[in-house]
Amino acid sequence: MKEQIGFESLTGLIAFARAGSLGSYTAAARALSVSPSAISKSVQRLERQLGVSLFTRTTRSITLTNEGRDLHERALKLLRDAEEIEQAAKAARSDPAGTLRIAASFPIGLHVIAPLLPGFRARHRKVSIDLRLSDHKVDLIEEGIDLAVRIGDLPDSSLLSRKLSPQRLCCYASPDYLAATGTPSHPDELQSHETVNLRYQSSGQLFRWPFRIGGRDVEIVPPSAIVVDASEAVISAVAAGAGIGMATSFMVAPWVKRGELVPVLSDFAVERHNITAVWPQNRRTNPAVRAFLDMLTEAT
C-alpha cells in the first residue's frame, strides 16, 4: 500500500510551488500571507523528505534545480486543485466570506476600487479585502488573485472578463490658469498654452493626447514644459495652475466637483471602452467575487 502524504509535505509542496513560480521566498510569502522564514523552512523540510535539492540559492535569488523543474509543474497542479476545492467550498455558502484579493493599477485602485470598499464591507461583514496596487501586470493564477481591474486591450487568455463603463478622456485646467490665459477652443491652440504631460514608467514614451476631430480620432503630443510619470502628478500640477493636462473622468471627478478643475476642449473629448474586470475560471462561483463584481458594475 502506498504511504499517504503527510500534512507537512502538503504545506511544503504549496510553498515550493509558489516560490518556484514567483522566484523568491518573499514573494511566495506575500502570496500565501505567511512569513518568508515559514516558506524557507517548509521548502527545506520538503527537500529532506524527498531527498533532492529543489532550489539553487544565492543571497539574492533562488532558481529551480533540474530536479526542481521536473517537480514544479506537478506541484502547481496540486496547488490549483487545492484552490478549486477551496473555491467550491466557499461557493456552497450563501453569504460571501473570506479574503478577497484584488489587483489593480494605482489610478483604478485609488479612484474606483478604494472608494467602494467601505460600502462593500458594510454589506458583507464576513469578507476582508486585500487590495494590491501596481502598474505592473500581475499573474492572477500564480499570485492567488481573485479579481483584477485592468485598463487597455486584453490579450486572449483563459481569464473570465466583464467590460466596465467607458472612461472619458478630456483636457482640464484650473480656473485661475484659464482666467489668466484664456480658454482654447480647438486642440491646435494647445501649442500656445502651458501643458503638463505624462511619461509612461513602463516604456518611457510620452502620452499621446487623443481628440475627436472631424469625425475621426487624432492623437497629438503637445509641447510640455512639465512631464511627470504618474497620472496623479499631472492632475495635482494642473490644479495648482501649471497649465492644461489630459486625464480620465473617473480620476478628476472629485477635483471638478470641488471647483479646482474645469473641462477644456470637451467638444473634442473621446471615450475609451477599455476598463475590464478579469478573474480566473476557478473563481467563477466565489460569492465574494460575484458580489464585488456586482457593486463594481453598479458604480462604474
Side-chain angles (χ1 to χ4, degrees):
M1 187 174 74
K2 291 184 179 179
E3 183 179 349
Q4 292 184 339
I5 189 168
F7 176 76
E8 288 187 347
S9 295
L10 280 173
T11 58
L13 285 167
I14 292 171
F16 164 58
R18 280 282 186 254
S21 295
L22 299 177
S24 78
Y25 289 156
T26 300
R30 188 164 52 247
L32 294 171
S33 300
V34 297
S35 67
S37 64
I39 297 292
S40 176
K41 290 176 182 177
S42 291
V43 171
Q44 289 174 12
R45 192 161 47 236
L46 179 66
E47 288 178 322
R48 289 195 298 270
Q49 291 168 346
L50 297 178
V52 297
S53 178
L54 299 172
F55 290 115
T56 301
R57 300 165 177 84
T58 68
T59 56
R60 297 191 174 200
S61 66
I62 57 172
T63 56
L64 289 164
T65 63
N66 289 334
E67 295 87 352
R69 278 193 294 272
D70 291 340
L71 295 173
H72 185 244
E73 184 55 40
R74 297 185 184 187
L76 278 180
K77 183 180 184 304
L78 174 66
L79 186 57
R80 287 193 290 266
D81 290 344
E83 288 177 341
E84 288 182 5
I85 292 171
E86 181 184 15
Q87 294 302 319
K90 288 179 179 179
R93 299 194 297 264
S94 58
D95 294 332
T99 300
L100 179 63
R101 296 177 177 86
I102 306 172
S105 65
F106 281 101
I108 288 286
L110 289 174
H111 299 282
V112 177
I113 295 177
L116 296 179
L117 299 184
F120 183 79
R121 284 275 298 135
R123 292 187 196 178
H124 307 288
R125 300 302 298 174
K126 295 180 182 179
V127 180
S128 59
I129 304 294
D130 181 352
L131 176 58
R132 306 178 186 189
L133 303 184
S134 173
D135 287 330
H136 299 288
K137 189 173 292 186
V138 300
D139 188 313
L140 275 63
I141 305 297
E142 297 294 348
E143 299 196 25
I145 301 298
D146 300 304
L147 175 70
V149 180
R150 293 175 172 169
I151 300 180
D153 297 329
L154 297 179
D156 292 336
S157 75
S158 62
L159 297 175
L160 303 174
S161 65
R162 180 187 296 181
K163 286 284 187 183
L164 302 179
S165 295
Q167 58 173 323
R168 188 169 186 263
L169 285 165
C170 185
C171 289
Y172 296 88
S174 71
D176 289 344
Y177 173 81
L178 296 177
T181 64
T183 302
S185 59
H186 191 279
D188 290 344
E189 297 175 27
L190 290 172
Q191 298 288 331
S192 59
H193 279 268
E194 294 292 325
T195 60
V196 180
N197 203 2
L198 172 72
R199 185 187 302 280
Y200 292 108
Q201 293 182 9
S202 57
S203 66
Q205 298 296 311
L206 289 175
F207 173 55
R208 302 181 66 84
W209 295 20
F211 295 99
R212 189 71 177 171
I213 303 174
R216 63 189 183 95
D217 287 352
V218 176
E219 293 182 345
I220 68 170
V221 179
S224 301
I226 299 176
V227 176
V228 299
D229 67 355
S231 302
E232 284 288 338
V234 172
I235 296 173
S236 295
V238 170
I244 298 172
M246 180 168 280
T248 59
S249 51
F250 69 82
M251 290 185 65
V252 299
W255 300 80
V256 173
K257 186 176 181 179
R258 295 192 300 263
E260 297 176 59
L261 288 175
V262 295
V264 176
L265 301 172
S266 56
D267 290 342
F268 302 92
V270 300
E271 284 191 347
R272 291 284 187 265
H273 297 258
N274 61 350
I275 302 180
T276 310
V278 295
W279 61 100
Q281 297 261 2
N282 61 4
R283 301 301 199 270
R284 70 164 69 86
T285 57
N286 185 312
V289 171
R290 294 202 311 267
F292 195 82
L293 275 170
D294 290 343
M295 177 173 277
L296 193 59
T297 303
E298 292 172 10
T300 57

